[in-house]
Amino acid sequence: MREIALVYLDRSGGLQKFVHDCKKYNDSKQSCAVYRFIISINPSDIAELDATLGNYILHNPIQAAQIFQSVCFVAVKTLSLIEQLQTEAQISVLLKPTHLPPLPSYILSLAAFPFNYTSQRFYMSEGIAMAMGTVTKYTQGARFLCTEETCPFSEGFRYIRVHLPGATESATVRSDFVCSLCSSPLQEDMKFRVLSDKQIVEMIDAKVLNALKGYSGDQSHCRIQTFTVFLR
């Protein structure tokens, strides 16, 4: 699937954009804990190229991003795009679909049952923004070092924590991480913390408009409540 991902990036122009983004990182001459790349993908084009990869992207986007992460790392090393990059873990890839299949199973409606809380695939959701919070910072990536000075992992970029969709802040930055080699505590290198913006939005299903207009529908009882969306 890595070979197919590379072919798609080359044909879609994504590889050229990736090289351009790498140039901006390389020109800065500043070593980062995490180098973030947003890759636009067309699920239909990928499915025609390779159905397995297309389905993998639609239903396992986090794992599919790791495939593109490996491809991007090989490209960086092969073409010497970012001199400061040391490990594959320093590359963070966000897959951004241009659209999703126009099928009911890809539409997330919190007014319909049953709920599927375990799935981490892509969904489309439509609603009305009822309230918006202020833009705040969150930790997008961080570098940790082993506190044991004689340990090989007391330097370098062996331990990189990157925020994943759906994760809490404590999953990225905590004080109880330990070294997998010597079991010593890990300490964050604050100089390499990568911050980004997040905003919380309270939304409500668009069906609430029918209730406000006085439409009763077929159901005798109807309950609609807001849900929280994190924009990062």
Side-chain angles (χ1 to χ4, degrees):
M1 285 193 285
R2 291 182 178 86
E3 182 179 351
I4 298 298
L6 180 59
V7 171
Y8 173 76
L9 288 176
D10 185 33
R11 293 183 180 180
S12 64
L15 188 59
Q16 183 178 359
K17 180 183 180 298
F18 173 75
V19 172
H20 181 266
D21 292 340
C22 288
K23 187 177 185 301
K24 291 190 294 184
Y25 281 123
N26 196 49
D27 291 345
S28 67
K29 300 299 181 183
Q30 181 180 358
S31 183
C32 300
V34 177
Y35 298 89
R36 189 167 184 260
F37 301 95
I38 299 177
I39 298 180
S40 296
I41 55 174
N42 186 320
S44 299
D45 291 346
I46 295 181
E48 290 182 4
L49 192 63
D50 185 83
T52 302
L53 180 58
N55 287 327
Y56 201 60
I57 290 174
L58 288 174
H59 301 100
N60 299 280
I62 296 179
Q63 291 79 5
Q66 296 175 355
I67 296 176
F68 284 83
Q69 177 188 21
S70 299
V71 172
C72 292
F73 178 72
V74 173
V76 169
K77 286 301 184 182
T78 303
L79 304 177
S80 301
L81 298 176
I82 304 178
E83 296 178 0
Q84 307 93 306
L85 182 70
Q86 296 186 22
T87 65
E88 182 177 319
Q90 289 180 264
I91 292 183
S92 174
V93 171
L94 176 64
L95 299 181
K96 186 177 181 180
T98 57
H99 66 281
L100 292 179
L103 300 172
S105 58
Y106 291 97
I107 298 176
L108 178 64
S109 175
L110 297 183
F113 286 92
F115 296 142
N116 185 8
Y117 291 118
T118 60
S119 176
Q120 293 182 319
R121 72 180 193 182
F122 287 118
Y123 288 97
M124 292 181 290
S125 182
E126 189 177 80
I128 303 169
M130 304 294 291
M132 299 178 69
T134 58
V135 178
T136 58
K137 296 292 183 181
Y138 78 100
T139 303
Q140 190 180 86
R143 174 200 190 194
F144 286 82
L145 297 173
C146 181
T147 54
E148 175 57 52
E149 296 182 356
T150 60
C151 179
F153 298 153
S154 62
E155 56 185 16
F157 292 86
R158 174 64 175 80
Y159 295 112
I160 300 294
R161 304 291 301 183
V162 179
H163 174 82
L164 292 178
T168 60
E169 193 80 5
S170 61
T172 307
V173 180
R174 287 206 310 266
S175 59
D176 60 348
F177 294 129
V178 296
C179 178
S180 60
L181 184 63
C182 66
S183 300
S184 298
L186 298 180
Q187 185 176 14
E188 182 186 357
D189 187 350
M190 296 298 297
K191 300 190 301 293
F192 287 88
R193 176 177 286 195
V194 180
L195 299 178
S196 189
D197 296 333
K198 74 173 180 181
Q199 188 175 23
I200 298 177
V201 179
E202 284 292 321
M203 297 189 65
I204 195 167
D205 195 283
K207 293 180 181 179
V208 72
L209 292 178
N210 294 332
L212 294 176
K213 292 177 181 178
Y215 297 156
S216 60
D218 298 332
Q219 297 180 348
S220 59
H221 300 284
C222 179
R223 181 176 183 268
I224 302 177
Q225 69 181 47
T226 62
F227 56 95
T228 304
V229 177
F230 289 83
L231 303 179
R232 299 182 185 268

